[in-house]
Structures are given as structure tokens and as C-alpha cells.
Amino acid sequence: MSAIMAANPRAEVARASEALAINISAAMGVQDYLKSNLGPKGSMKMLVSGAGDIKITKDGNVLMHESQIKHPTAALIARAATAQDDVTGDGTTSIVLLIGELLKQAQVYMTEGLHPRLITEGFNAAREKALELLDQMSVKLTGDDREKLLEIARTSLRTKVHSKTADLLTSIVTEAVLAVRRDNEQIDLHMVEIMEMVHRSEMDTTLVRGLVLDHGARHPDMPKRVTNASILTCNVSLEYEKTEVNSGFFYKSPEEREKMVMAERQFIIDRVEKIIALKKAVCKAGENKNFVVINQKGIDPLSLDMLAKEGIMALRRAKRRNMERLTLACGGIAVNSVDDLKEDALGFAGSVYEHVLGEDKYTFIEDCKNPQSVTILIRGPNKHTITQVKDGVRDGLRAVLNTLEDGALVPGAGAFEFALREHLLKFVNEGHVKGKARFGVQAYAEAFLIIPKTLAQNAGFDGQDVMVKLQEESRQSHRAVGVDCDTGNVSFPEELGIWDNVRVKKQQINTCTLIATNLLLVDEIMRAGLSSLKADGS
Amino acid sequence: MPHEIISLQIGNYANFVGAHFWNLQEAGFSYNSQQPTSREVDVDVLYREGETLRGESTFTPRLVVCDYHGSIHSRRAIAGGLYQDDNEILDKNGNRIESGQGENTSWDGTVKVEKQNPEEDAPNHFLREVRESHKRIPVLPNGLTKRRRHADYGLEKSVRTWSDFLGVAYHPRSLSTLSNYWINDLPTPFDGYSAGLEEWRSCLNDSLQQNSLEESLRHFVEECENMAGFQLLLDGHNGFGGYSSALLDHLSDEYGHKSALVYPLFPPAPPQSDDAEGNARKDCQGLFNYGLFVASTASGSGNSSTRLHSACVPLSLMSKLTRPRETLPGLPLAHFRPDSFYHTSAILAGAIDSFGLVYRLSSPERVHLRDAVDAITPHQRKVAAMSTMLPFPLRQNDSLFSALKAIDAEYLPVTSLTPHVKTPLIDSQNRCYSQIMSLRGVPRTRWQCSGEEIRSYRLSHEVASMSANRLFEDFMSSYCPNTYGVGRVTELPCYTALPFPQFFSPSISEDGFTVSSGNRIEDVKRLPVMAGLHSTDKVADLLQELTTTCSKTTLNKYPRLLQSGSMELDEYKESFERLQELAGRYRENDF
Ligand SMILES: Nc1ncnc2c1ncn2[C@@H]1O[C@H](COP(=O)(O)OP(=O)(O)OP(=O)(O)O)[C@@H](O)[C@H]1O
Ligand SMILES: [Mg+2]
């Protein structure tokens, strides 16, 4: 809250109840803004700037990011959503709904005179139970359950992109994560390169088992396509640059400088010649072998010329991260000095070729042996489609990664939230909560229903009706029940393969409880230009 | 082989200066085959050739900009319809309408369209005309036939941000924004140096960042055949200072052997509120950030072998940054509005562009950026000052020799654009270690003295046959006799066509000459300008002020200065010490 203090030091202190009202209305404002986006049937938002720039998204995190939030309470909630995304990559819309609903439910009891402190006590008790239930409901993965990985990827993707695209991407993201996984090591998603191309349609998005670079050879005589290629990954300057030595033009005579320039130039030539020598050693005549240099540093025209004459394909200024990716995809090691040039530093790719689109060049490095770095090449007719797909792919990758790291999944479609309500009410009715704190537990229980209810509403069904159906079914079958967004009936998410990540739920439970508690317990709030505070979060 | 230079503009004010800068570049191009673009200057240094997906060729700056999140709302307008996506159509206001062809493949369910503040983004008169005249590819008024006077466009009123008067197209890849801060962001404004450092780190990791600056930069560098280095304009008074420091570190890491000319800017102060305490704090914060930036770029510490080779030239149209602040009363022949971003940035752009000619020349007289940086940073004195005469007084029939001679030694109409640094040339007490100057807009026919001049001044044959550069260097050393100096004279004037502000004295003619009877009706179209960088001990005055501001007392008074971000007290102390040490270098006697 010190932030508001800074915004207007002369702000008046508002009375506690008023402060609470402000917090609640801000939280509701943010909730309203995101509510219609939740779930597979949520609506997509197309944000169009006055100048016509388009952004298509239904991701809570993106939407929070794209609106300037001036209200401090709303900003706090937005930060919680961002943190949720940083940690888990998912569940941001839900967390905003949950915070809003917790406050709303609390308010019902507070208008009847209940002290916020008692409610928050209840919240904390309920949080414990929620984590416990989460554990109980989790379904453990046995070994490499590829089927389940595909299911979680599909669930995630279908909440972000068109179902046809989602189905295409499902196996792409799953295979990508599995490809970069190495024994006994943490999976590094950075080893999945995401490359975009304004070309054809999103349905032409592919997984390249190798690397796609967003630049090409810079010499007209270099080959555009080679097979059977040794790959030299290096970080060695092949560019003649002015340095201290030959600079300082007011101390030296032109002749002296010219000499130094020549000497330095020779230095670079020597480096290039060493590379050429290695090429000659590995690509013997008649063997149809080729040589590709991918350098993180610059290569100037003279050096390019020398390399081109030897039929070497050379790329300069590769991304720093591609040094690691290249060696994982093709083998070999990245070389930092020409002294380290030797045959076993080289990697291999069955085919390397260039693809040109307007001024953009792409270099495909494919047919690698057991690549441990891969590329998802996203195509689409325009920038905003690509961005939408890219956001979806990121979520999908995270979902698969989370699953592998958790070793478990929870049934989705609101199943957990619905079960939690039943679980908590039972807990209260059995008399486990002392005193008035039980109203807090009840409020918590009701609040979590916002998820299944909203899923139903966004699919065009009456939330209340669907809740009644869920209740009836769960009492009969004692199974995890969720919302069927196509029919408005009960579904069994485990059967349909609709899953959520355990860590997403865990983080949600912890964060929403914490934030709601903080907002309820705020004793005073600075009245920082109350009239100008916008509750709509935008 | 061009020695390419990549331009970087970091911050809102920096982008104002940048917008003028690129307008000036474009105004110097000619699309008329009868009168081709001047060959004096190598345009490939700053520009790149490209091609759209439709095969149209383009010519755009080698440029990366960064501004607040959401501030580049008219990406489309800035990228000027170049590189437009294929299935998009623009309506007559330049707004995009969906193509309507085929079904919507983005989502199976409902798609809600949300227009974001449409009225705010409506183009002003100038932009509308630029767009109309060139349907899709806006280029500057140069090619327009209609008579246009600056006064008809009301730009002083309608310019709210830099894209409102940007008449050229940037490459879409040039645009990037902060990921967490909006302009005038409350409750968390981007007003701290350390917040900027943190923002850089978060931008690197931010998956939502569409166009990461780092990636775009790499693309522009990859295209260069033999890059000389960078020209960096930045807002030094707020979080962009910290952001730029981090950016410079990145440049050192990735492109360590290159050179950089760094211009930290201090914009005109916003109108003060009636909260005196708050004003004082804000002013102090601005200076504090500025000091930290200068300390980090100019102190020459760090691993010197990988360190970027750079010179730092602080710029502002305020002559005094400490309270009470003072703005320059005006230039002798240009009366700008001191509180206007649009006006003040035009002066800075004019000076930066004019100076930059020395390293953009196509002749062998070109000064390599590396040499320029070397020359003005002797003995690790990495902060230099900038001066300008905008316009440079040149009468209709003056030769270069008589124009230089006519400049009054007592009243030298040179203005220092570096705050707290009094005009570098004027004061004989002042010690100038080295300087590089550029004088532009003197027609080649005037470079030689006329026979009459030779007779009346009794010029020796040696003087009479001196090259323009030598004449100019002689002039420079007549003011600073023991100073190492490089001077370059060019014919190409500074084209001040619309939308450059028309704030010139009535005694400047349409063609930029100084006349005795001012009755100009049309806008001033071109100007001769002089601009230079000077390594002078006067810089110590600025550094002293910054040191005082960054001292412990300030910190005791405003502890929040460090709070907003990740900076540790130790880091801060280190910066402070560097600043002191740097100031000390200007008081030593060795030169
Ligand atoms: N096919 C489905 N049928 C029913 N519910 C589903 C289905 N797929 C996903 N869900 C549910 O939708 C919710 C997730 O929706 P969504 O992804 O839109 O929001 P989120 O994950 O909270 O936020 P984010 O915008 O960060 O992804 C989860 O509760 C999930 O169980
Ligand atoms: Mg989700």
C-alpha cells in the first residue's frame, strides 16, 4: 500500500469499511473483465488499437499485461496473476476470478457484522484442506505416460486456439518437450526454439527436429542447400575491426597505421585459413561432404569471400543461445578459439538449406542424429495469428513440462473446485471448525464454485442448473465430476482426458488465499483521488 | 564497404529527438532524378535496404527504439504500412479492418472486439496528409507538390507524442517497448534508475515481449558488413537511464570491439505541481538517475578489454539542472519554446545530425566513429560537451573564409547543449583538450575565397588555396590554439522542411542565409549548421553538480531514491565514487 502513499502523499485516510468496499469493487472489476474468457468456451478478445494494431488473446496474463492498471488494488491482483504465470505458466484467469469471488463471498458475511479477521481465519483453515484434497485427487503418472501428456497438452491448447489448430499443436508440443529431455537433468524449455514465419497458415506449423535459424549465409556464392554437413559452431570474430592499436589517429603517421591495419587484417585471414584447413581435412574430394560454419561473432565480406571460394556455407551473428542449441541438436562443441579447431568439435546435420521470404532468410538444419534441441516453426498468415499461436504453444509446453515435473495431474473441467466445496462443507458440518471461523470456510467453499459455474456459463448454460446436476451425480457415483461444456451436463474429466496441472492449482490456492486475506485485513487505505479510481481494471 | 552505425533511441524524449533526426535524414533525400540525392554523404551508414513480402524494396533506418509499454500504439502508423500483412486492408483513416474473407480461424467461440482509445489515436493533419499523399508508404513532404507552410498544421498543438510528427517509416522490427511500465504509470512510475536495470532483466526473460530489443538489435547487426558501432540517444533522468546502462553492458558483452556515441538527454521539466516537497523530490530524483547513468557509462571501469569504446555527451536545453533550474534563453537565431518537447528535441536533433556528418561522409575525409570517439575522450575523460550554431550565420554572398572571419570573437553565437558547461569555445580560460566539429550547408562554390577577398584581406597564396576543412580547422584553433581539433565542412544543408518547427529569427531567409531585412513569408527550407564535440575541463562543472546531487546528503533526505528497485547501497556507493573520480580527471593537469 505504500505505493499509493507515494502517488499522493496528501491522500486522506478512508475508514476501514470504506477501504474494504474499494478493494472489493476493484477486485470485482478485474473479475468482470476476465470472467467471460475462462475455459474452452470462453470468448476470445481482439484488442484493436486506434491505429489498427491487433492482438488476439484470451489469456488472463496477456490481458492484464495489455491494460494499464491504475488502481492499486487491481494492480496487486494483476501482479498475483503475473506471478502465477511466471511460476506455472497457467491459471491466471482463474486466480483473478477466485480472488474476486473470495472477497465477494466474504462481504456477504461481513455485512452481517462478522469481523474480517474471523473470515480470514476460516480462509486459512480452508486452504489447508484444499491442499490436502488436491493431493488426494491427484492422479499419479506411471512412467512415461505419453497418452496423459498429450491429453494435458490438448486441454491447455484448446483453451487458447481454435480446436483444429490445438489438435495439430498437441503432439508438436508434447514431442518437443520429450525431445529436449535428458536423463537426470532438469528439462530446459529454452532448448525448444520457437521460430515464426509469416507464411501460409497456422495449420502449417511444424516441429523441426533440428534447428531453424532466422538468418542465412551472406555471400551470394555460398551454397544455399547442402547435405551431409559437418557443422562448426563457433564464437570467433572473423571480422576485421578497428581496435585501440590502429586507432588514435592523431598519434601515428598514416603509413604506420596502414601497416598495423595490414597486420590485424592478416590476423583475421589466418583464422579463416585455419577453418578452411579443417574443412579440407574432413571433406575429402569425392566424398560428397559439406561444411557449414555458424558463428556467434561477425564475419566480414573478405572472410565470407574466402569461405565461399571453398564452398563453405557460413552464417554470422548467431543467437548466443543457439550455440548451445546447435551442439545439442547436431553434436560437437562450440569453439571459442581457432586453436580449439579439431574434428571432434564438429557436429553433423543431414541437410542444411536456406528458405527466403522477402528480406527474411531462414536456415534449416535438419536430419540430425538424436537431436536434443528442436524447433517449433510457427507459421501463419499474419503477425497477430502467429502471436496467438505462439502464446498457445508456450502454454502447451509449460503444461507438458509441469506434468513431467509433478508426476501427476488433477481432473479438470471444474472437478477439483466442485469437489472442494463438497469437501469443505462436509468438514464444517462435521464440526471440525470452531466458532465463527466456519463462516470463513463456507465462504471459501462457495467462492471456488465460481470456476465450474463460469465454465458452464461461458458455454451458454445456466451455472446454477449445472451445479445441481453435478451435486446429484457426485453423490451417486462418488467420482470426480466436471462440467461438460458441449452439453451442459455432467462429465467425467478423467475419462475425457481433461486435466489441470497440480502445481497450477497449488499456486492458485496459496496465492488467492494470501491476496484475499491481505485485502480483507487492510485497516486503512489512502484515499488516493478516489473519484479517479477506475474499478474496471483497464 | 560502409561502416554501418546502428541507432538506438531509448525513452520517450529520446524518441522525440529521434523522430526529428530521421525526418531530417529523409528531407535530405531526393526522389527527383533530375536532382539526385547528394553523394557527399554515405546513406548506407544509417540506412538499410530491404524488401517486403510483395517484393517492394524499402529503405529504412538501422534503428532500434524503446518506449513505454503501450506507447507505440500506432505501430502500424510508424511502420508506415511498409511490411503490411497480406490479408489486411486499411480504411480511409488508416485503420485496419479485418479482411472479411473466409471464416475466422482464430477461435471457435465468440470473439469480442475491443477498440482501445480510438479518439486518442486519430492522426493529426500532418499525418493524414503524409498518408494520403503516399497511400501506403509515407515519405516526407519533400515529394509533395502542394505548398505547405508549417503554420498551417498547428503542430505545436497537435503533437502529443513523437509519432505525431514522424514523417518516415521505421522498420517494424525497430519498435520495442518496456514490458512493465506505461507512460505516467501510477502507482508505480518508471522514475528510478534501478527500476530500469530491473526492467532490462525482466524484458530479457519476458515471454510476452513481442519484439525483444535484444533480438531486433542482433538482426540489424547481422545485416551489417562492417559495423562501426552505435549511436545511442536515451532519457537519462528516469528509469530509461538504468535501462540504457544495462543495454550498454549488453552491447559490451556482445559487440565489445565496437564504438558508441552515447547521448544521455535531460528533457524540459514538466510543469511543476503545487506540491513543493514533491517537486523537489522529483527534480532530485531526475538528477540522481542522470548522475548514476553518467557514472556507469563514463567511468571506464569494468573489464576494459571487453568494454565498449564509448564517449558520453550529456545534452539538454536546460543550462542548469539543479534547482532552480534554468533553460537556455534561446539560440541566437532560433527562438524555441523551452518547455516544448517538440521544439527542444528539434534543436538537439539538428545538432546531432549535423555533427554526425563527420562519420557519414563518403569521401576519405570521413572520420571513423572509433577515431571520433578516441579523439574526444583523451585520458579516459569520457564525457564530452556539445556545441552548436543553429543556424550558422552565413550571408548570401559570404565565402567560407569571410563567414568564419565575420564571427565575432567577443560575441561568438555558439551555444552549449551540455548543461552546466558554458560555451566551450568562447572562454580563453577554458581548457579544451580536443574537439571535432562539423560545419554544413556551405555551398561548394563558397569554399574558395573570391579574388576580391584575397585582395582586400591580403591573403597569402597558402591561405587562399586552403581546403575548406583546413580553413575550418584553422578557425577552430584560433580559438583554442593548443587543442587537437578535427573539422569537416560539407555542402549538404540541414533541411528544415515541415515538420521541423519554424522557430527561426526573422533575419534568416528561406534558404537559411542571414539577411539584414527580415521579410520571410515562406518557411525556412534549409540551414547551415555548425556542431561540435569538445573534450573540455568545463565538463567538470557538470560532473561536480552530479556528484553533489548523488552524495549521501541527498540520499539521507530522500531514502526512497534507492528503494524503488534492486540497487544495493554498495552499488550505489560505487557509482558515486566513480563519479567523483571521473570529475577529478578533468582537474588534472596532464594533457
Ligand atoms: N474441455 C474442457 N471442458 C471443461 N473445462 C475445461 C476444458 N478444458 C479446460 N477446462 C477448464 O478451464 C479452466 C482453464 O481455463 P483457461 O485456461 O481459460 O483459464 P486459466 O487457466 O485460469 O488462465 P490462463 O488464461 O492463464 O490460461 C480450467 O479450470 C480447466 O479445468
Ligand atoms: Mg489455462
Side-chain angles (χ1 to χ4, degrees):
Chain A
M1 289 296 111
S2 67
I4 329 183
M5 202 118 69
N8 185 356
R10 293 181 309 150
E12 298 166 36
V13 176
R15 286 196 355 267
S17 64
E18 214 170 320
L20 206 54
I22 293 166
N23 278 348
I24 293 174
S25 90
M28 296 309 297
V30 190
Q31 193 197 65
D32 274 352
Y33 183 63
L34 292 187
K35 201 168 170 185
S36 65
N37 309 317
L38 184 79
K41 301 283 175 181
S43 57
M44 197 53 88
K45 281 194 167 74
M46 183 194 281
L47 309 175
V48 186
S49 81
D53 295 332
I54 293 181
K55 174 111 200 175
I56 297 180
T57 189
K58 68 185 278 295
D59 193 291
N61 188 40
V62 178
L63 286 165
M64 293 272 91
H65 197 256
E66 292 303 318
S67 15
Q68 184 171 19
I69 298 169
K70 296 218 164 171
H71 192 298
T73 309
L76 185 74
I77 295 173
R79 270 204 299 280
T82 310
Q84 170 81 32
D85 191 74
D86 287 348
V87 178
T88 68
D90 190 24
T92 54
T93 309
S94 301
I95 204 158
V96 168
L97 300 198
L98 287 170
I99 294 170
E101 204 61 18
L102 282 171
L103 293 184
K104 194 167 141 198
Q105 294 296 336
Q107 194 181 26
V108 174
Y109 292 98
M110 283 184 311
T111 48
E112 289 167 10
L114 195 64
H115 193 275
R117 163 96 24 220
L118 291 168
I119 296 181
T120 59
E121 256 171 49
F123 277 9
N124 282 313
R127 186 184 68 98
E128 300 280 316
K129 297 303 288 178
L131 292 173
E132 200 181 284
L133 179 69
L134 181 63
D135 206 39
Q136 285 167 23
M137 286 182 76
S138 297
V139 176
K140 304 274 175 293
L141 255 63
T142 43
D144 241 18
D145 200 336
R146 186 175 292 252
E147 204 43 51
K148 285 225 174 47
L149 294 178
L150 289 167
E151 285 171 0
I152 180 77
R154 184 179 302 112
T155 306
S156 165
L157 285 160
R158 282 198 175 181
T159 65
K160 294 291 176 283
V161 293
H162 195 280
S163 51
K164 272 199 293 197
T165 321
D167 292 348
L168 169 74
L169 297 176
T170 295
S171 63
I172 291 181
V173 298
T174 311
E175 297 301 329
V177 177
L178 290 175
V180 303
R181 185 172 59 158
R182 280 178 283 169
D183 291 339
N184 309 322
E185 270 182 55
Q186 269 216 322
I187 300 173
D188 182 2
L189 277 192
H190 288 306
M191 292 307 110
V192 180
E193 166 75 318
I194 299 180
M195 191 51 65
E196 47 189 89
M197 221 186 229
V198 182
H199 189 216
R200 302 206 282 235
S201 98
E202 58 273 33
M203 292 306 288
D204 296 300
T205 297
T206 52
L207 177 68
V208 176
R209 292 185 180 274
L211 220 53
V212 181
L213 310 179
D214 57 2
H215 51 131
R218 281 278 168 198
H219 195 285
D221 299 341
M222 281 184 179
K224 306 282 176 245
R225 174 181 287 272
V226 299
T227 52
N228 238 337
S230 294
I231 311 280
L232 171 63
T233 307
C234 59
N235 184 18
V236 175
S237 175
L238 299 178
E239 171 184 30
Y240 164 65
E241 291 170 296
K242 280 179 90 76
T243 60
E244 275 106 310
V245 187
N246 64 55
S247 180
F249 65 130
F250 49 107
Y251 300 119
K252 293 165 195 118
S253 72
E255 297 76 36
E256 234 178 309
R257 261 197 299 149
E258 193 51 31
K259 249 192 180 150
M260 277 194 252
V261 168
M262 292 308 288
E264 295 225 345
R265 186 62 258 186
Q266 189 57 44
F267 198 59
I268 301 296
I269 292 175
D270 290 347
R271 287 182 180 175
V272 178
E273 277 173 349
K274 281 193 179 146
I275 292 174
I276 291 173
L278 179 64
K279 184 254 171 181
K280 285 184 171 154
V282 294
C283 307
K284 308 243 163 46
E287 281 184 357
N288 185 27
K289 279 194 185 159
N290 288 290
F291 201 83
V292 177
V293 177
I294 296 166
N295 192 4
Q296 191 189 331
K297 292 264 163 54
I299 310 180
D300 65 17
L302 275 161
S303 302
L304 286 173
D305 236 21
M306 293 172 67
L307 296 167
K309 286 212 180 82
E310 297 295 329
I312 296 175
M313 182 177 188
L315 280 73
R316 66 189 175 205
R317 299 282 176 200
K319 284 185 213 181
R320 179 175 284 246
R321 196 162 264 152
N322 275 350
M323 296 290 104
E324 189 182 350
R325 290 183 183 136
L326 274 165
T327 49
L328 283 173
C330 309
I333 43 172
V335 167
N336 289 312
S337 146
V338 281
D339 300 334
D340 302 338
L341 284 178
K342 47 186 183 301
E343 239 181 286
D344 49 13
L346 300 176
F348 175 85
S351 106
V352 180
Y353 60 95
E354 193 176 286
H355 182 99
V356 182
L357 274 181
E359 64 182 18
D360 294 323
K361 281 186 179 177
Y362 299 85
T363 303
F364 287 70
I365 301 174
E366 288 187 283
D367 301 335
C368 309
K369 295 172 188 156
N370 184 25
Q372 290 181 320
S373 175
V374 296
T375 304
I376 297 179
L377 178 63
I378 299 175
R379 294 188 215 241
N382 49 43
K383 199 86 188 147
H384 64 262
T385 306
I386 290 178
T387 308
Q388 188 197 346
V389 172
K390 192 156 91 182
D391 290 345
V393 163
R394 283 225 177 80
D395 280 17
L397 290 170
R398 290 291 291 270
V400 176
L401 172 71
N402 288 341
T403 311
L404 287 169
E405 290 188 343
D406 287 341
L409 287 167
V410 262
F416 169 73
E417 290 81 359
F418 177 78
L420 178 60
R421 175 180 182 265
E422 304 293 294
H423 189 66
L424 289 175
L425 292 185
K426 192 160 143 245
F427 181 58
V428 171
N429 291 338
E430 287 171 0
H432 296 295
V433 194
K434 301 272 167 331
K436 289 184 183 164
R438 68 193 185 91
F439 294 118
V441 179
Q442 272 170 15
Y444 201 91
E446 296 305 325
F448 269 69
L449 271 197
I450 184 83
I451 302 295
K453 259 193 211 160
T454 308
L455 287 171
Q457 272 162 11
N458 286 349
F461 303 103
D462 182 274
Q464 213 57 52
D465 286 355
V466 179
M467 289 314 104
V468 173
K469 288 186 201 165
L470 288 189
Q471 242 156 28
E472 286 166 356
E473 182 61 46
S474 84
R475 281 183 192 153
Q476 279 174 18
S477 66
H478 298 286
R479 295 170 62 184
V481 290
V483 181
D484 184 328
C485 290
D486 292 318
T487 62
N489 289 325
V490 178
S491 74
F492 300 107
E494 284 168 271
E495 276 171 21
L496 296 178
I498 296 168
W499 302 101
D500 282 322
N501 282 130
V502 177
R503 64 178 57 197
V504 171
K505 294 281 175 224
K506 198 176 271 170
Q507 167 91 2
Q508 266 170 7
I509 292 167
N510 285 325
T511 311
C512 76
T513 315
L514 182 73
I515 301 283
T517 306
N518 282 346
L519 291 176
L520 285 173
L521 289 183
V522 72
D523 295 315
E524 48 184 40
I525 186 174
M526 295 301 140
R527 230 207 276 214
L530 278 190
S531 54
S532 72
L533 294 181
K534 277 194 291 176
D536 62 1
S538 56
Chain B
M1 201 158 57
H3 293 281
E4 300 97 339
I5 288 173
I6 294 183
S7 304
L8 300 153
Q9 293 158 198
I10 310 297
N12 192 245
Y13 190 60
N15 275 300
F16 267 81
V17 178
H20 278 304
F21 180 89
W22 297 109
N23 283 343
L24 291 175
Q25 303 304 312
E26 175 87 20
F29 295 160
S30 165
Y31 294 92
N32 177 349
S33 55
Q34 305 290 301
Q35 269 182 314
T37 304
S38 157
R39 293 188 183 267
E40 243 184 333
V41 170
D42 182 353
V43 290
D44 294 328
V45 172
L46 294 179
Y47 278 81
R48 64 184 287 280
E49 277 178 60
E51 189 188 310
T52 66
L53 286 175
R54 284 193 222 85
E56 301 149 329
S57 62
T58 63
F59 203 52
T60 50
R62 306 182 191 276
L63 167 71
V64 179
V65 317
C66 180
D67 202 345
Y68 291 103
H69 187 65
S71 64
I72 306 186
H73 32 62
S74 48
R75 195 174 285 270
R76 160 149 314 271
I78 297 167
L82 288 175
Y83 302 99
Q84 191 174 307
D85 291 346
D86 271 326
N87 64 345
E88 294 161 2
I89 310 168
L90 299 190
D91 70 12
K92 60 182 185 305
N93 294 323
N95 288 340
R96 182 190 327 205
I97 37 187
E98 272 305 274
S99 60
Q101 42 170 293
E103 98 237 69
N104 187 348
T105 54
S106 62
W107 192 233
D108 334 44
T110 39
V111 180
K112 285 188 189 161
V113 178
E114 273 187 32
K115 276 235 162 201
Q116 298 168 319
N117 24 319
E119 67 292 336
E120 246 179 56
D121 288 333
N124 62 16
H125 182 175
F126 168 72
L127 287 181
R128 275 202 308 278
E129 199 162 295
V130 169
R131 281 182 205 167
E132 251 160 51
S133 62
H134 281 266
K135 276 297 171 289
R136 294 222 323 276
I137 303 177
V139 282
L140 257 205
N142 214 354
L144 298 182
T145 47
K146 243 190 289 170
R147 269 256 162 108
R148 299 147 48 107
R149 293 184 65 242
H150 187 271
D152 300 339
Y153 290 81
L155 283 167
E156 271 77 10
K157 282 220 178 61
S158 71
V159 167
R160 291 152 309 177
T161 189
W162 50 273
S163 51
D164 290 336
F165 63 93
L166 181 69
V168 305
Y170 290 168
H171 191 282
R173 191 170 272 147
S174 292
L175 308 173
S176 78
T177 60
L178 296 179
S179 97
N180 297 312
Y181 293 92
W182 302 68
I183 198 161
N184 301 326
D185 212 356
L186 289 172
T188 48
F190 192 49
D191 60 2
Y193 178 85
S194 51
L197 291 176
E198 213 160 74
E199 179 68 9
W200 171 268
R201 278 175 222 137
S202 86
C203 282
L204 282 188
N205 303 329
D206 185 0
S207 55
L208 291 176
Q209 190 78 348
Q210 275 200 39
N211 257 330
S212 94
L213 185 147
E214 182 209 11
E215 267 300 289
S216 313
L217 189 60
R218 196 197 118 247
H219 266 107
F220 284 110
V221 175
E222 195 271 334
E223 285 172 354
C224 295
E225 297 289 13
N226 202 342
M227 177 176 71
F230 305 93
Q231 168 181 300
L232 168 61
L233 301 175
L234 68 123
D235 292 7
H237 66 297
N238 56 20
F240 284 108
Y243 189 84
S244 302
S245 283
L247 167 61
L248 281 166
D249 281 345
H250 171 75
L251 296 182
S252 292
D253 287 350
E254 296 285 322
Y255 316 108
H257 291 292
K258 307 297 182 184
S259 307
L261 206 44
V262 180
Y263 294 105
L265 311 172
F266 205 109
Q272 303 262 295
S273 71
D274 45 11
D275 165 20
E277 169 72 19
N279 289 337
R281 202 202 71 240
K282 266 189 214 137
D283 287 359
C284 184
Q285 169 113 57
L287 216 57
F288 188 78
N289 294 333
Y290 204 73
L292 290 180
F293 176 80
V294 172
S296 89
T297 25
S299 62
S301 75
N303 183 349
S304 63
S305 68
T306 60
R307 196 81 196 162
L308 207 62
H309 183 69
S310 67
C312 174
V313 186
L315 295 181
S316 178
L317 288 181
M318 282 196 281
S319 49
K320 182 167 171 287
L321 301 177
T322 41
R323 290 160 69 85
R325 292 182 162 170
E326 283 163 23
T327 50
L328 287 173
L331 269 52
L333 295 168
H335 312 301
F336 61 89
R337 295 188 191 172
D339 57 350
S340 156
F341 272 33
Y342 168 60
H343 273 194
T344 54
S345 59
I347 303 270
L348 296 179
I352 292 170
D353 171 38
S354 301
F355 172 75
L357 287 174
V358 303
Y359 50 74
R360 303 206 306 270
L361 290 174
S362 28
S363 74
E365 296 279 299
R366 177 190 60 221
V367 181
H368 192 281
L369 182 65
R370 168 129 212 153
D371 293 336
V373 168
D374 255 358
I376 53 154
T377 55
H379 302 292
Q380 292 293 311
R381 294 180 182 112
K382 289 207 163 198
V383 182
M386 184 173 233
S387 71
T388 191
M389 285 199 238
L390 189 157
F392 172 79
L394 182 69
R395 281 166 308 191
Q396 190 87 41
N397 297 310
D398 273 348
S399 73
L400 174 63
F401 176 81
S402 37
L404 291 171
K405 192 152 185 70
I407 288 173
D408 189 337
E410 288 303 307
Y411 171 67
L412 191 62
V414 174
T415 308
S416 164
L417 296 178
T418 299
H420 296 277
V421 172
K422 300 223 187 64
T423 307
L425 281 175
I426 196 168
D427 187 348
S428 58
Q429 296 304 304
N430 136 45
R431 180 181 282 168
C432 191
Y433 309 115
S434 61
Q435 52 189 346
I436 303 183
M437 300 185 75
S438 160
L439 173 57
R440 75 187 303 187
V442 183
R444 209 167 275 268
T445 51
R446 314 284 177 75
W447 289 10
Q448 294 295 317
C449 301
S450 68
E452 197 180 318
E453 281 167 334
I454 294 173
R455 276 189 300 280
S456 66
Y457 292 116
R458 298 171 193 273
L459 297 181
S460 68
H461 175 71
E462 190 198 349
V463 175
S465 57
M466 258 187 199
S467 73
N469 291 344
R470 286 294 303 138
L471 270 176
F472 186 40
E473 286 175 357
D474 260 21
F475 160 80
M476 287 161 60
S477 63
S478 69
Y479 287 95
C480 305
N482 297 318
T483 301
Y484 174 79
V486 178
R488 292 292 180 264
V489 180
T490 32
E491 189 174 35
L492 184 77
C494 182
Y495 287 100
T496 52
L498 189 76
F500 200 86
Q502 287 290 322
F503 40 35
F504 304 106
S505 138
S507 61
I508 298 298
S509 77
E510 251 177 73
D511 294 323
F513 294 113
T514 316
V515 290
S516 42
S517 59
N519 56 352
R520 187 178 75 233
I521 302 164
E522 296 295 321
D523 289 347
V524 174
K525 292 196 189 63
R526 58 181 84 92
L527 285 183
V529 178
M530 188 172 99
L533 296 191
H534 316 265
S535 176
T536 154
D537 66 351
K538 284 262 163 29
V539 166
D541 296 346
L542 167 65
L543 296 175
Q544 191 51 54
E545 289 295 343
L546 293 177
T547 314
T548 313
T549 308
C550 293
S551 72
K552 202 77 201 188
T553 23
T554 318
L555 207 60
N556 289 340
K557 199 161 162 201
Y558 305 111
R560 222 183 69 85
L561 290 179
L562 281 187
Q563 259 169 37
S564 62
S566 57
M567 197 152 174
E568 301 289 329
L569 194 62
D570 282 351
E571 279 177 84
Y572 149 77
K573 277 193 189 138
E574 201 178 300
S575 299
F576 177 67
E577 278 159 21
R578 285 189 201 162
L579 205 53
Q580 275 182 315
E581 185 196 318
L582 184 65
R585 272 182 221 145
Y586 287 80
R587 293 194 215 93
E588 290 157 9
N589 285 327
D590 59 331
F591 82 98

